[in-house]
Structure formats: structure tokens, C-alpha cells
Amino acid sequence: MDDLVAELAGALGEANLLVSAEEKAPFLCDWLGKYRGAARAVIRPGSTAEVAAAMRICARHNAPVVAQGGNTSMSGGATPDSSGRAVVLSLTRLNSIRNIDTVGNTIAVDAGVVLAKVQQAAEEAGRFFPLSLGAEGSCTIGGNLAANAGGVAVLRYGTMRELTLGLEVVLADGRIWDGLTSLRKDNTGYALRDLFVGSEGTLGIITGAVLKLFAPLRARATAFVAVQDIDAALALLAAIRNRCGDRLTAFEFMTGDCLALILRHAEGVRLPLAAMPPAAVLIELSDQDDETALGERLEATLIGGVDAGLVIDAAVAQDGMQARAFWRVRESISETLVRAGKAAKHDVSMPISAMAEFVAATEAAVRAAASGVRPIVFGHLGDGNLHYNLLPAEGQDPAAFAALAPGLTRIVHDEIGRRRGSISAEHGIGQLRVDEMPLRKAPIELELMRSLKHLLDPAGLLNPGKLLPAGPCPLAPETEDDHGSAR
Ligand code: FAD
Ligand code: 2HG
Ligand code: ZN
């Protein structure tokens, strides 16, 4: 045992320190199977104080620390590099619901609590926590915060940042910032909370959070709707928003090619429509009560859509079981893509008014660059967020496609740049997009980010190689290392 490992064992107990290759393996590979890293050890502290102790030890030994929650990152954010220097800090033993306040409508939780457990705790207290995404059975609140997760209800409730009131964070040197406030109004300076949300483990280790709760939604109406194209889907979105206001909770788009792929690869999933459409949207309205009125409102809106030539066909769920079957179609897309081959994945956002033009221009450009490439496009249309996945041509050698992928990514992201969009709407930069940052961010933005990083993590130990590419920091004294590692 080396000194670092021995000290960590002393602070956390040997049972919470994994050093054998077999024990470490699940923490060293990402969900998509794209990245494989190495680590000196995986540590599993059980409290904020233990996280702080571990951070002090790692800082003393100059050991990089990679925070990990449920390890469902879609950008390789929680996978260490291959140097084997890093310690992976798993938060999953910090898994208590700390407090629920049904008057203030807040829930305080440990960072390692799985999202589904928070949803369930809220429900048991007669409240609702709205963050919802396909990985909710395994992703953690800390990971959701560090990634500023989005999901399928952003349209109505916002991203994780908008759902958060307070944070508890352990800094790189082991100091603890107790920002666990439940205040909705607090104008006492810079918004430190918002800095840590979305920082992907590069500024501090989130150990706890106070989140907002909402009134429960007892009425739901769900429809699976065939449309001609993204233009029609967007016109339908505008009509539904006009007619249903805040009741619109989800508006999920997928192309016919995406649906065909699901039917081919996902077991037990059936198309809710009579025929394969050119494109489809999954629509959900929700309300506090009166399911009948809500269902009538949805049907009337869809009939309006048929009359306006926007809706080709629609299936409205008659009960909860049917609604869940509709959602299964949508939720099986990520796994379907993994089964279908190594996709070039993009998670882009843009002004909603630019989406149809983006899809047309990008499809033409990628097809011209890679014959037979298969765009599999879906996403959270109401948020201006598309998951623009590109699969190799049928039968194409994976290595040949991998060689084309960076050029295809350049095309997709250039089209996004032209529309003042973002190359990461919700999955983060991680290691997947880190090399793109100098191309997509203004020098002044990178300079400010590097300065903040240097203030909070002067030794560059927190999740190195993620989010920020290597480069000079205006606050750091010039050293050789500045050009060789991500600080
Ligand atoms: P991890 O993957 O463990 O970590 C994610 C990042 O956060 C890493 O950079 C890590 O270092 C850092 N981190 C983790 N915990 C902490 C902590 N306590 N303190 C500081 N840093 C930390 N994302 C969406 O936004 N919307 C979706 O709809 C969506 N759907 C998904 C569906 C599937 C099937 C999968 C596999 C992923 C999906 N994701 C989605 C991606 C992912 O961002 C979310 O699943 C989730 O937010 C990650 O949580 P996690 O606990 O797994 O974090
Ligand atoms: C979703 O919306 C997730 O389902 C995952 O953000 C998207 O796999 C993807 O590309
Ligand atoms: Zn998504």
C-alpha cells in the first residue's frame, strides 16, 4: 500500500477503499462504453466530513480526484484518464434524505441519493420533484447538479439549476462551504451556487443540496402524434402552448428513422401508431386534478392540429399503462443507439426558430461528407435541444466510421455555431467535447473560466482533462505544466 492509499484507508476504513482491478473496474468505464480509464483507488466516503478528510489527503499527495455519482455521464465526465494517478471519489454512500419541508416546499438531500429516490420521497410527502430523465433509476443528485441535467420536463420546470436552492460543497483543499440555504430570495453577492451547478466536478465536490418541491400532478394526458416533419412539430408546439399554457410538461420529438431503429433493436417496444410516420412527438399535459378535462383539452388541441394540417395521426393514452408504453418508446432510444453501433453523438441547442433549418442544412452536409451516414435525430423540442446522433452506414467498418466522426462533428457544430447555438445543451463537456472549447468559446470566456478554476483548484486536481482544455491561466504563475495539463 502506498502512503496515499494507506492514509485514505485510515480515514475511511479499508472497506470503503477499492484497490483491486476487479473492484475498481465498474468505476473506470463510462455508460456508453466509449472511455476506459485507470485509478489508484476508488474511495467511498460515507459523510461530508469523510469527503473533506479524503480531499485533504489527496491535496497533500497532489492526487487528482474524479467525483462520480451514478456514472451515467454521456460525455465521459466521470471517467478518469488513463494515467492511473487519479482517485475516483464515489458519492453513492452519501444517500440520505436529510429533510422535507412541506410548507417551504423544499427537500434537503445528500449528493449521492439516486434521483428516483428523491422523486419517491417527494411523492410520499404529497409533493412533486420534477427532474425526470431516462437514467433516473441510477443517476444521483450530485451528478445531476454537476451536469446541470435537463431531461423531459425542462419545458415546464427548468433544468437542475432552476430546481436548486442551496448546496454543500467540499473544496479542493478539504474546506466545506455550507451553502445549504432554502431561501428563494438572497441578494448578498455573487451566485456561488450557480457556479458549482454545471461545473462537472472541476470546482468542488457537491455533498448535499436543497431542492425545490412542487404540487403533485394528479392528472396526466399523454399522446403519441405523427407529424410530417420538424416544421409541423414546431407549429404544433406553438399551438399547444397557446391553448394549454403551463400544462404542457413534455414535448419530445423523434424522426421516423429514429422510430424504425427502436422497433428494430429494442425488445418489447411497439409503435403506438397504425403506420410508421415521417416523424413523431410524444406530448404530455399534466395538471393538479381533473384528468377528464385535461384529456378533452389535449384531444381538442390535436383535432385542431389535424384541421391545420399539422397532425397526420395521433394515439391518446387511455390509461396509465398505455401512457407508460408510449414513454417506453422514447426512453429506449439511448440503449437502442448503443446496440445499433458506435454513434457520433451530439447534444445541441439553438433558438427554436432555427431548428428546422438546422436539421435540413446539417442533414445535407453530413450526407455529402459521409455516404450512407444515418442521422438519428430526437430530443426535447420545446427546449430547442436535439440529440443529433450519427450512425455509420449499414455494414460500414466501425474503424472507417470512427475516422470520419471528427469531421462530421465539425459539420454539426459549425451549423450550430452559425445559429448561435450550443454544442452541449444538457450532457456537458466532459472529455468528449473538451477539445472543442477553444473553437466554440470566446477567448475571454475561456480566460474567465480558467481564472475561476485557478481560484478554486490552484493545483488542478479536480477532474483534470474535463470541461476546460489545457491553456494559460491569467492568474497562475507561468510554469511548464500550464501547457501540459488542464488547469
Ligand atoms: P456521473 O455520471 O457520475 O457524473 C457526471 C459528472 O458530474 C462528472 O463530471 C462527475 O465528475 C460529476 N459529479 C458527479 N457527482 C458529483 C458530485 N457529487 N460533486 C461534483 N461533481 C460530481 N442527461 C440529461 O441532462 N437529460 C437527459 O434526458 C438524460 N438522459 C439520460 C439517459 C440515459 C439512459 C443516460 C445513461 C444518461 C442520461 N443523461 C441525461 C446524462 C447524465 O447527465 C445524467 O444521467 C445525470 O445527470 C448524471 O448523473 P450521475 O450521478 O450518473 O453522474
Ligand atoms: C435523452 O434525452 C438523453 O434521452 C440521452 O439525453 C440522449 O442518448 C442520447 O443521445
Ligand atoms: Zn436528453
Side-chain angles (χ1 to χ4, degrees), residues 45-56 91 94 98 109-111 168-170 174-178 180 205-208:
S47 65
T48 302
E50 285 190 1
V51 173
M55 292 305 290
R56 281 194 299 273
L91 278 299
L94 270 73
R98 297 187 187 183
V109 300
D110 282 352
E168 179 184 76
V169 181
V170 176
R175 283 178 299 161
I176 300 170
W177 173 51
D178 178 354
L180 279 176
I205 311 293
I206 299 167
T207 48

Side-chain angles (χ1 to χ4, degrees), residues 181-426:
T181 172
S182 57
L183 301 177
R184 286 170 197 257
K185 300 183 85 174
D186 176 17
N187 280 352
T188 54
Y190 304 133
L192 295 180
R193 174 194 66 206
D194 290 348
L195 189 58
F196 287 106
V197 177
S199 64
E200 302 187 31
T202 64
L203 298 181
I205 311 293
I206 299 167
T207 48
V210 180
L211 308 171
K212 294 179 190 170
L213 294 178
F214 295 81
L217 299 168
R218 297 190 186 87
R220 283 180 203 278
T222 313
F224 206 94
V225 181
V227 293
Q228 191 57 42
D229 51 25
I230 198 162
D231 265 324
L234 287 167
L236 184 63
L237 171 67
I240 294 186
R241 273 187 157 152
N242 243 357
R243 194 154 183 161
C244 306
D246 260 2
R247 296 180 191 87
L248 179 62
T249 321
F251 195 89
E252 294 291 309
F253 174 81
M254 56 214 104
T255 59
D257 287 346
C258 178
L259 281 169
L261 195 80
I262 298 170
L263 296 189
R264 190 166 136 195
H265 291 277
E267 274 165 39
V269 174
R270 287 182 45 233
L271 182 68
L273 300 163
M276 178 61 77
V281 282
L282 175 54
I283 300 170
E284 189 166 279
L285 302 185
S286 49
D287 213 338
Q288 259 71 56
D289 47 31
D290 204 345
E291 196 146 286
T292 309
L294 196 67
E296 284 168 4
R297 187 182 284 269
L298 179 59
E299 287 195 18
T301 313
L302 291 174
I303 290 168
V306 173
D307 294 343
L310 303 175
V311 171
I312 298 172
D313 185 17
V316 177
Q318 297 306 307
D319 52 34
M321 212 165 86
Q322 229 171 41
R324 278 192 294 282
F326 290 4
W327 273 106
R328 249 193 317 280
V329 179
R330 169 63 182 86
E331 280 163 2
S332 62
I333 303 177
S334 294
E335 282 188 24
T336 294
L337 279 163
V338 172
R339 281 194 205 136
K342 287 247 183 294
K345 293 186 85 69
H346 309 96
D347 164 40
V348 295
S349 64
M350 69 210 91
I352 290 183
S353 56
M355 292 180 94
E357 204 202 354
F358 163 82
V359 167
T362 310
E363 180 160 344
V366 294
R367 285 195 193 284
S371 163
V373 68
R374 290 174 292 160
I376 303 296
V377 184
F378 63 101
H380 317 289
L381 206 69
D383 310 330
N385 177 191
L386 287 178
H387 297 307
Y388 198 93
N389 288 265
L390 293 171
L391 277 175
E394 292 282 1
Q396 185 175 16
D397 169 30
F401 182 71
L404 289 177
L408 294 172
T409 291
R410 179 64 62 89
I411 291 172
V412 175
H413 288 170
D414 282 351
E415 292 294 343
I416 275 300
R418 272 180 211 120
R419 292 164 180 86
R420 298 211 66 167
S422 165
I423 62 161
S424 175
E426 55 174 16

